[in-house]
Amino acid sequence: MKKIKLLIIAAAALISGSAMAQKIACPDVTLEKGKANLVFSIAENTDETATLAQFVLTMPDGITVETNSKGRFIYEKGELMQDEHTITFQSRKSGGILFLTKNEFGDAFTALNGELVTVPIVAGEDLADGTYSIQVTEVNITNLAAQKIAKETSFTINVTKGSTGIKDVNAEDGKSGNIKIVDKNGNLVIKTANGNEFNAVGGRTK
């Protein structure tokens, strides 16, 4: 009887641990003026504090992670990071960008869950309106005992680009009659030249 009880307790602990396993999460985003921020978090509360997290980003054509003047990927540490935590981004020959954060002293993150890192993305000027998918794969979260505690191995972030209405009508020069109309994403919708013609999406009118 005692043996049966122990087996039941062990099975319940296993199920509970699996259900409460940590995971990497990131909400869908909308591009504003060709840019957006991907905010990655460690989600779902557990009693295990992580010390390492990694995943691979696979970007669609026309969307990239923003870089600085030296060509290095830009990022901002989240609230979970301690000063000693380092972040590495590495482009893979096979495609995708490997993200890895760790602490060389083996120190854990500051909390069980919360924001991990913010990654800015940019879209090419010729990117058509629509919804695009960023694949997040090879998710790995490791605890202080170097045991993997990630819940899922992959998920998709939807990135939307599209006109969202008129934001600004700008009369550049009242005398010449130059006017720009810009949508909420910063895209030029209409521009008049001296009041004689205008260029709009889909054609030109005299």
Side-chain angles (χ1 to χ4, degrees):
M1 188 70 177
K2 184 176 181 181
K3 185 176 180 180
I4 294 175
K5 287 183 178 179
L6 288 175
L7 287 174
I8 293 173
I9 292 172
L14 183 62
I15 294 170
S16 175
S18 175
M20 294 296 289
Q22 290 173 316
K23 67 176 182 178
I24 297 287
C26 180
D28 295 340
V29 296
T30 299
L31 290 164
E32 297 288 347
K33 295 185 178 180
K35 295 185 177 182
N37 286 327
L38 303 180
V39 182
F40 292 93
S41 300
I42 291 183
E44 298 199 5
N45 197 353
T46 74
D47 58 359
E48 293 188 90
T49 304
T51 185
L52 175 152
Q54 77 170 46
F55 52 84
V56 173
L57 288 176
T58 301
M59 316 292 289
D61 291 340
I63 299 178
T64 59
V65 174
E66 189 173 3
T67 57
N68 60 21
S69 59
K70 296 183 178 179
R72 295 171 182 167
F73 294 120
I74 296 174
Y75 63 84
E76 181 180 345
K77 286 184 177 182
E79 61 191 2
L80 291 182
M81 298 283 191
Q82 298 197 45
D83 291 340
E84 295 80 10
H85 273 100
T86 60
I87 294 178
T88 301
F89 280 95
Q90 182 180 357
S91 296
R92 290 183 161 185
K93 292 182 179 179
S94 58
I97 303 169
L98 173 65
F99 165 87
L100 172 65
T101 176
K102 62 181 179 179
N103 190 310
E104 62 178 313
F105 302 105
D107 295 335
F109 294 130
T110 59
L112 293 173
N113 50 50
E115 290 186 9
L116 182 65
V117 64
T118 297
V119 180
I121 58 173
V122 293
E125 293 182 0
D126 58 348
L127 185 71
D129 293 350
T131 299
Y132 300 82
S133 296
I134 296 176
Q135 300 297 324
V136 183
T137 57
E138 299 181 40
V139 176
N140 182 14
I141 304 175
T142 303
N143 63 14
L144 294 172
Q147 297 172 327
K148 186 173 180 179
I149 54 176
K151 177 181 179 180
E152 57 189 78
T153 56
S154 64
F155 64 96
T156 299
I157 305 167
N158 291 318
V159 180
T160 303
K161 177 182 182 295
S163 299
T164 54
I166 302 303
K167 177 182 179 181
D168 185 36
V169 177
N170 177 26
E172 295 179 329
D173 185 342
K175 294 180 180 180
S176 65
N178 290 335
I179 297 175
K180 284 183 178 179
I181 300 178
V182 180
D183 70 19
K184 292 182 179 180
N185 288 327
N187 301 313
L188 181 64
V189 179
I190 297 174
K191 178 180 180 180
T192 67
N194 299 321
N196 296 321
E197 63 178 323
F198 68 87
N199 291 295
V201 176
R204 178 176 180 178
T205 304
K206 290 286 187 180

